[in-house]
Amino acid sequence: MKFDVALAPSTLNEIPSLAQRAELLGASCLWTTETQHDPFLPHALAAEHTTKIELGTAVAIAFARSPMTVAHTSWDLAAQSNGRFILGLGTQVKPHIEKRFGMTWPESPVSKLREFIGAVRAVWQAWQSGDRLNFRGDHFKLTLMTPFFNPGSIKNPQIPIYIAGVNAPLIKLAGEAADGFHVHPHHSRKYLAEVVLPAIEEGAKKNGRTRQDVVVSCTSFVAIGENEEARSGMREAMRSQIAFYASTPTYHAVMDIHGWTSQREQLTTLASKGQWDEMTKVITDDMLAEFVVEGSWDDIGGKVRAKYEGLADRVSLYLPFMLDAKDDDWHKVAKAVNSDQ
């Protein structure tokens, strides 16, 4: 199992220091998100100031871009990092694609993302081999690539592509066509064992692959503190976060598999009325224990590893890595999770 860190929304001038510190504390990968900043730009700086740590997006929004622009950016970052870049893609949801990015939401998001992956790989193959670009699908047609626009081959052309999702169709697509799958933080062991892994295996069989061909990457909700009082604030923040996710239709499957359908229906009703303070009362301590790992900085790493043993290949904390992070604490977690013991 590998331990990764997720970068807090940061200005570009903070990236070299954060990337170097993440590498020194023993993190295997530095992930960026597409929230307040572009997910790709930090990795150009991170690649320049590190030598070992992998660098990836978790995630970049595919439907806000064309396959060609993503292919170019990823190709450059793979070259800059000597093969350490991982392209993580997500679909987002319809309101964000249409109202935040000003793009068109497809009738079949899974079909479009499948083609998006194939189109990006077709571009990379054309650049690496010199063969003619000829990708034709229902969503994308890429047939023009002259020498003027071709960056040429690179030393490490096999760029892993991860995708993210919550429900079975996208999880199956990961098994079918991706190198890895980013599990949404709102998950439990039961959901991983009974929904995620079987769906990956089902998708993998379609292309003669196995579960082992797909890296499962999880972000763990945590409440960390040296005593009960110190952990309580983070625990309640996680309770609020879980209540929000559980109220959203996209994440209903996670609650339903535990038999908490009535609770998530209650949460949806409260959210529709804007009764946010009431929502946290629905999330009991037993529910919280299914989603959140609690402990001190000394033992949280071992507890996280125990939760994901046999279910995930790489793990990060739902806790952004920032300039004021205590590197010694993070090092303890990295050592425990990365340990082969």
Side-chain angles (χ1 to χ4, degrees):
M1 189 181 297
K2 294 181 178 181
F3 177 70
D4 304 331
V5 295
L7 188 68
S10 307
T11 59
L12 291 177
N13 62 355
E14 297 171 335
I15 299 303
S17 174
L18 285 167
Q20 289 175 333
R21 288 167 56 196
E23 183 169 76
L24 287 172
L25 66 85
S28 295
C29 186
L30 179 66
W31 298 107
T32 55
T33 62
E34 183 153 23
T35 53
Q36 299 170 7
H37 299 281
D38 181 89
F40 293 106
L41 283 174
H43 291 309
L45 287 167
E48 182 181 7
H49 292 274
T50 58
T51 59
K52 299 178 181 178
I53 192 170
E54 293 177 294
L55 308 167
T57 55
V59 292
I61 306 305
F63 296 169
R65 297 175 170 84
S66 81
M68 185 63 69
T69 58
V70 170
H72 272 290
T73 304
S74 301
W75 201 246
D76 288 343
L77 290 174
Q80 168 80 344
S81 65
N82 292 315
R84 291 182 285 138
F85 180 68
I86 300 171
L87 173 61
L89 297 172
T91 62
Q92 246 301 342
V93 294
K94 184 177 180 179
H96 282 264
I97 295 301
E98 293 183 342
K99 298 177 182 179
R100 183 157 68 96
F101 291 106
M103 306 293 278
T104 301
W105 181 256
E107 291 185 8
S108 174
V110 174
S111 173
K112 185 171 183 178
L113 187 58
R114 179 185 291 107
E115 271 196 25
F116 196 104
I117 294 168
V120 170
R121 286 180 173 151
V123 173
W124 290 340
Q125 175 63 24
W127 290 342
Q128 189 66 21
S129 67
D131 295 340
R132 178 173 177 263
L133 176 61
N134 186 26
F135 183 88
R136 300 170 186 267
D138 295 328
H139 303 276
F140 303 104
K141 179 183 177 182
L142 305 177
T143 58
L144 177 63
M145 179 53 58
T146 65
F148 185 78
F149 298 105
N150 187 335
S153 62
I154 60 175
K155 184 178 180 181
N156 298 285
Q158 301 302 318
I159 304 169
I161 297 179
Y162 290 18
I163 64 171
V166 177
N167 295 305
L170 279 172
I171 305 175
K172 291 177 184 177
L173 178 61
E176 176 188 342
D179 301 293
F181 180 68
H182 286 300
V183 180
H184 191 277
H186 184 55
H187 65 258
S188 64
R189 278 189 60 90
K190 186 177 179 68
Y191 170 75
L192 290 173
E194 297 183 15
V195 176
V196 174
L197 296 188
I200 287 176
E201 290 175 358
E202 183 178 342
K205 287 179 181 178
K206 290 181 63 176
N207 276 344
R209 307 170 75 204
T210 68
R211 146 74 180 97
Q212 285 65 41
D213 293 317
V214 183
V215 176
V216 176
S217 176
C218 291
T219 300
S220 179
F221 284 139
V222 291
I224 306 175
E226 298 312 306
N227 51 50
E228 172 64 23
E229 182 180 0
R231 288 194 291 272
S232 62
M234 190 177 293
R235 183 189 303 116
E236 294 313 305
M238 293 297 97
R239 195 189 303 272
S240 177
Q241 189 74 69
I242 291 164
F244 167 75
Y245 284 130
S247 72
T248 306
T250 302
Y251 309 103
H252 283 177
V254 184
M255 298 291 283
D256 291 347
I257 198 172
H258 287 275
W260 296 330
T261 302
S262 62
Q263 289 91 333
R264 59 93 167 158
E265 289 174 345
Q266 183 182 357
L267 287 164
T268 300
T269 299
L270 290 170
S272 68
K273 297 177 180 179
Q275 296 178 341
W276 310 111
D277 292 340
E278 296 297 314
M279 291 171 62
T280 57
K281 299 176 184 178
V282 179
I283 305 301
T284 66
D285 289 345
D286 287 341
M287 288 182 185
L288 204 67
E290 292 288 343
F291 297 112
V292 181
V293 181
E294 295 194 28
S296 67
W297 281 106
D298 288 331
D299 64 16
I300 197 73
K303 291 180 176 180
V304 167
R305 182 180 176 89
K307 176 176 181 176
Y308 293 99
E309 194 73 58
L311 298 174
D313 304 300
R314 54 195 324 154
V315 178
S316 58
L317 306 184
Y318 193 78
L319 192 64
F321 188 66
M322 302 183 292
L323 287 175
D324 62 356
K326 296 181 179 179
D327 291 2
D328 288 345
D329 288 338
W330 285 84
H331 175 70
K332 294 174 187 175
V333 183
K335 185 177 180 180
V337 175
N338 287 333
S339 172
D340 292 329
Q341 302 300 317

